[in-house]
Amino acid sequence: MIRMVWAPAALSLALLSGCSTPATNLQVKQLHQEVSQLNQQMQHLTTQASALEIQGQLNSHSANCAWLVPQANTPVALQTQLGTLRLTLSPVIAEPVDREPRHGRSTVACPACDGDLGRTGPGDRQTAQQR
């Protein structure tokens, strides 16, 4: 009796396994890539949600200031005498540094050099007192 049931079951299994095509392997590979991308997105969203929770906790205890957590990627509203300020962070893009200014002196005051506008760039280590 067992042989009678086993033989048709084995035959059915052999026929079904023969139905699979090489395209299935490609589909499985694509599915793995999609799952990997979804895992990366989920990890990013989890990090962002944790940072947003921290940012919310910090701001719930702050009346006169606002905390911005970069990973939260969310603006913060700060109530001031002037009204509501909406604060956000944006990426900083590095600009090429001119070691020798073409127009003489810089036009931006630098608090680190005591307001001296004559700095030529990050390679210049002289302080305002040494000049």
Side-chain angles (χ1 to χ4, degrees), residues 4 10 21 24 26 32-34 36-37 39 41 46 53 55 58-59 61 79 99 108-109 111 114 119 124 126:
M4 293 175 72
T21 63
T24 305
L26 179 61
H32 281 291
Q33 289 175 344
E34 289 176 19
S36 176
Q37 289 174 349
N39 281 336
Q41 290 173 350
T46 301
E53 184 177 340
Q55 179 174 297
L58 290 169
N59 285 318
H61 301 295
Q79 297 296 327
R99 298 263 179 215
V108 179
D114 200 25
R119 290 190 54 134
D124 183 9
Q126 287 183 323

Side-chain angles (χ1 to χ4, degrees), residues 112-114 116 118-131:
C113 57
D114 200 25
D116 184 21
R119 290 190 54 134
T120 60
D124 183 9
R125 298 265 184 223
Q126 287 183 323
T127 64
Q129 290 81 20
Q130 291 173 329
R131 291 190 185 157

Side-chain angles (χ1 to χ4, degrees), residues 1-113:
M1 179 81 171
I2 294 176
R3 280 189 182 188
M4 293 175 72
V5 174
W6 177 251
L11 182 60
S12 298
L13 184 61
L15 288 174
L16 288 175
S17 65
C19 292
S20 65
T21 63
T24 305
N25 290 336
L26 179 61
Q27 291 172 342
V28 169
K29 185 177 180 180
Q30 288 175 343
L31 185 61
H32 281 291
Q33 289 175 344
E34 289 176 19
V35 168
S36 176
Q37 289 174 349
L38 288 173
N39 281 336
Q40 289 175 352
Q41 290 173 350
M42 189 66 159
Q43 186 176 22
H44 173 74
L45 290 173
T46 301
T47 301
Q48 186 175 357
S50 298
L52 185 57
E53 184 177 340
I54 291 169
Q55 179 174 297
Q57 289 173 354
L58 290 169
N59 285 318
S60 69
H61 301 295
S62 302
N64 298 327
C65 64
W67 291 89
L68 290 166
V69 178
Q71 292 85 0
N73 198 25
T74 303
V76 173
L78 177 64
Q79 297 296 327
T80 68
Q81 294 174 345
L82 300 174
T84 303
L85 295 178
R86 186 173 184 254
L87 306 171
T88 60
L89 292 176
S90 59
V92 176
I93 300 170
E95 295 180 9
V97 176
D98 264 344
R99 298 263 179 215
E100 297 179 25
R102 289 171 281 207
H103 305 292
R105 302 172 75 85
S106 172
T107 58
V108 179
C110 176
C113 57

